[in-house]
Amino acid sequence: IQQINCLDERFYFDGENYYPSVTSILDIYPRGFGFEQWLKDVGSNASQIAERAANSGSKVHDATERLNGGEPITWFDESGKEFYTLHEWQMILKYKEFWDLCSPKLLANELTLCSSRMGFGGTLDRVVEIASKRWLFDIKTSNYIHKTHELQLSAYAQLWNEMNPDLPIDEVGILWLKASTKTQKIDVDKRIFQGAGWQLKTFERSHIDTFKIFGHAHAIWKEENPNPNPLNLIYPDKILL
């Protein structure tokens, strides 16, 4: 499966058809008053701020992927230059603390899936087993957790379950590396996994029920995108007179 990024859109290609990403579908979901107010406050700087945050999050995300792939991660490069900022390195250390404390068994690391039946695709951050339960979690470095994150996980769980019917997802959550938690607490029965500045955030509603809401967002997206192909297939990306 090939991931295709064009401008702000992401699609997946299975060799025959293109499928929108879960995150592209959820771009249509309202962000709420807080987000709209933030846009007004920062004005024209919004895109620059968002881009910096996205680049920082990508570096942390890449580091965690490499850690789970067995690679050592260093703060400084071979020349002694700082590769990660202090803030980024602190979040990477929080990820290591989560892994050391919870001892998850890794089942999937950055797994890309798409479904012709459901009509979308996505890349799952991690699927692990903790205390005999299968968890699907997404790694977030944002300042807040939005409802779209919960919807995103519900869609990912459906992708996994379709491909792995004998290994269904029991729980979903956000491994939030920028949480406001102050203390360390692990309670498997109550689904509490947290440390200073990080937590595996869970949701009251089951991911199966949440997927019904995602279905409504998907229906609106399809209404607004009757030709669901990357823009570089709709418009030429090279011209000559």
Side-chain angles (χ1 to χ4, degrees), residues 5-233:
N5 295 284
C6 182
L7 301 179
D8 289 333
E9 292 184 313
R10 175 174 294 172
F11 285 82
Y12 292 92
F13 182 62
D14 66 359
E16 295 183 3
N17 299 300
Y18 292 92
Y19 303 98
S21 70
V22 169
T23 52
S24 291
I25 292 169
L26 289 174
D27 279 343
I28 207 165
Y29 199 89
R31 298 291 175 172
F33 173 79
F35 180 75
E36 297 299 330
Q37 187 61 48
W38 176 79
L39 286 178
K40 293 178 182 178
D41 291 342
V42 300
S44 60
N45 294 322
S47 59
Q48 295 178 342
I49 295 171
E51 184 176 357
R52 284 199 302 269
N55 289 339
S56 181
S58 294
K59 287 172 64 179
V60 174
H61 197 281
D62 176 71
T64 63
E65 178 187 357
R66 290 164 56 199
L67 281 171
N68 282 133
E71 293 184 47
I73 302 297
T74 58
W75 189 352
F76 301 91
D77 62 21
E78 294 180 355
S79 66
K81 183 179 179 181
E82 181 185 70
F83 183 74
Y84 301 101
T85 67
L86 174 60
H87 182 59
E88 291 164 354
W89 188 246
Q90 287 171 335
M91 287 192 285
I92 294 169
L93 293 179
K94 291 173 187 177
Y95 184 81
K96 182 181 185 303
E97 182 177 306
F98 156 76
W99 206 266
D100 290 343
L101 286 174
C102 300
S103 302
K105 176 185 176 183
L106 184 65
L107 301 180
N109 180 13
E110 291 298 313
L111 177 65
T112 298
L113 298 173
C114 66
S115 168
S116 59
R117 179 180 66 85
M118 293 187 286
F120 59 81
T123 300
L124 289 57
D125 283 1
R126 303 292 184 278
V127 178
V128 301
E129 189 176 287
I130 302 176
S132 300
K133 285 192 174 184
R134 278 178 293 278
W135 283 79
L136 186 157
F137 69 82
D138 217 49
I139 301 164
K140 298 296 184 187
T141 59
S142 53
N143 289 324
Y144 66 97
I145 300 300
H146 192 265
K147 185 179 286 186
T148 56
H149 297 149
E150 181 184 2
L151 300 177
Q152 178 184 358
L153 286 169
S154 74
Y156 287 170
Q158 291 296 318
L159 285 172
W160 171 272
N161 290 346
E162 182 178 279
M163 304 299 174
N164 302 276
D166 297 330
L167 299 170
I169 297 298
D170 298 307
E171 304 278 1
V172 300
I174 298 291
L175 183 55
W176 193 14
L177 301 179
K178 214 171 185 181
S180 59
T181 49
K182 304 296 183 184
T183 59
Q184 186 183 107
K185 184 177 181 180
I186 307 295
D187 190 325
V188 174
D189 294 332
K190 294 183 179 180
R191 302 187 306 160
I192 298 175
F193 306 89
Q194 69 176 53
W198 66 267
Q199 72 174 139
L200 183 55
K201 183 174 176 58
T202 57
F203 307 96
E204 295 182 6
R205 182 168 44 199
S206 77
H207 60 83
I208 296 173
D209 290 336
T210 304
F211 183 67
K212 298 174 184 177
I213 303 173
F214 175 84
H216 297 309
H218 192 193
I220 296 172
W221 188 91
K222 287 189 288 187
E223 175 68 21
E224 297 298 318
N225 296 272
N227 184 18
N229 289 319
L231 283 175
N232 61 331
L233 297 183

